[in-house]
Amino acid sequence: MTTTEGPVTTEVPPATEGPLTAREPMADPSRAHAAARALAVVALGRDPGPMATAASGSHHVYVGPDVVVKIIDAASHTRLNREIALAPHLPAGLTAPLLDSGTHRLESGDLRYACYTRVPGTAPGMGMPGVDAATARALAGEAVERLGRLHAWVPEGDADRTLRETLDHGGFTGRAEFLAEIEGLAERDRHGTVPPRLLDGLRAIARDAPPQARTVVPVHADCHWDNWLAHGRTVTALLDFEWARLGDPVDDWFFLIRFSGPHMESVLDVVARATDTSPDTLRAGCEVREATHLAADLRVALERPEVHARMAADRLRSLEELVVGRYWWRDAR
């Protein structure tokens, strides 16, 4: 297991970019650190003790012995509001308890913040580095059980309205929309960044996709292994509900499986058995979701190549692996 201190969070960009992408963190970390300490004092009613910086792509996140403070410029994206709105209503024990939230005034502008109880554990991490096979299976089983609680939850009132809000998440919504995304990508690719064979591969996946995505249960929609906490072989929390929405359970199973590194086949087997889903059905659903996210991310990268060159290169490698390497089918039995 990783030994990173405190919860590790992976953030995502404004609403036109989906949860596989990353963006630059906001500026002025010294002011953010001072604000985090002040907010933690209010939330706990006492000095929070030493607070370390946790990795984040779009927020400042500070971790104390008993508290985690997450802040962002209030003028930036509003997804933290979504997480705050859902936190009090989520199934008990699923995520870190919310202690306090709101806006905090600085001379340079307002900050939006959320203070959470620190939950024991560390993130297994993208690709589950250093995790042995038995632990990977155990964590996958626990994660599927936790997601099952989320998927079985029937939200009401404000929580239901929040989950139904329009969110351009970059994920699969339907065959026609997926094909349109691919053609939009091709139109923007004036310099031939995406090889024709990869565009054709995306089109082939899209043609076999369902006509419409189901929106039947609450999904986290970003539950890769950076957003879980675990202690030993026990999952302790699922973090970062900023992309939560109504969707299909496979929207979550995809993230568990795809970002489990060398344990991909093992985690797929755990998910299939635990959810009574055919492995081939699971592979097909995950393939469609990865293809959709990659198409959306590449479109964003081509719109701002000076900002997203690194992301474009990463997504092209993943697309090659998906289409040419037949990632989801290469080890199918």
Side-chain angles (χ1 to χ4, degrees), residues 37-49 51 64-69 99-100 115-118:
R37 286 196 62 83
L39 293 166
V41 167
V42 173
L44 293 173
R46 57 176 171 79
D47 188 284
M51 298 189 71
D66 304 306
V67 66
V68 176
V69 181
L99 295 173
D100 192 17
C115 301
Y116 297 92
T117 300
R118 182 173 179 179

Side-chain angles (χ1 to χ4, degrees), residues 113-265:
Y113 71 89
C115 301
Y116 297 92
T117 300
R118 182 173 179 179
V119 177
T122 57
M126 292 286 240
M128 306 183 91
V131 176
D132 62 65
T135 300
R137 287 190 69 90
L139 292 178
E142 294 232 341
V144 174
E145 189 276 328
R146 294 263 180 153
L147 289 172
R149 282 191 251 164
L150 175 63
H151 300 160
W153 172 46
V154 181
E156 298 178 348
D158 290 344
D160 182 62
R161 285 188 289 273
T162 297
L163 290 167
R164 292 180 186 278
E165 289 173 358
T166 300
L167 183 65
D168 188 2
H169 48 77
F172 178 68
T173 56
R175 183 191 301 147
E177 294 85 354
F178 184 12
L179 285 167
E181 181 71 82
I182 298 166
E183 298 315 313
L185 170 61
E187 290 173 8
R188 287 171 176 80
D189 190 14
R190 299 181 182 90
H191 302 291
T193 301
V194 185
R197 72 181 187 283
L198 299 186
L199 289 171
D200 288 343
L202 282 173
R203 294 184 182 104
I205 293 171
R207 285 193 292 270
D208 289 336
Q212 291 295 320
R214 298 192 307 162
T215 55
V216 292
V217 299
V219 295
H220 182 278
D222 196 26
C223 55
H224 52 73
W225 290 101
D226 269 351
N227 280 338
W228 293 90
L229 295 181
H231 181 69
R233 294 184 179 181
T234 302
V235 165
T236 57
L238 174 58
L239 307 177
D240 293 352
F241 278 77
E242 295 179 16
W243 290 99
R245 56 183 173 82
L246 294 181
D248 189 302
V250 74
D251 295 328
D252 283 338
W253 300 338
F254 157 71
F255 281 96
L256 276 190
I257 299 165
R258 180 62 180 88
F259 299 103
S260 55
H263 308 296
M264 177 272 201
E265 285 294 326

Side-chain angles (χ1 to χ4, degrees), residues 102-121:
T103 57
H104 180 73
R105 182 68 179 170
L106 291 178
E107 289 183 5
S108 56
D110 289 341
L111 298 176
R112 183 179 297 111
Y113 71 89
C115 301
Y116 297 92
T117 300
R118 182 173 179 179
V119 177

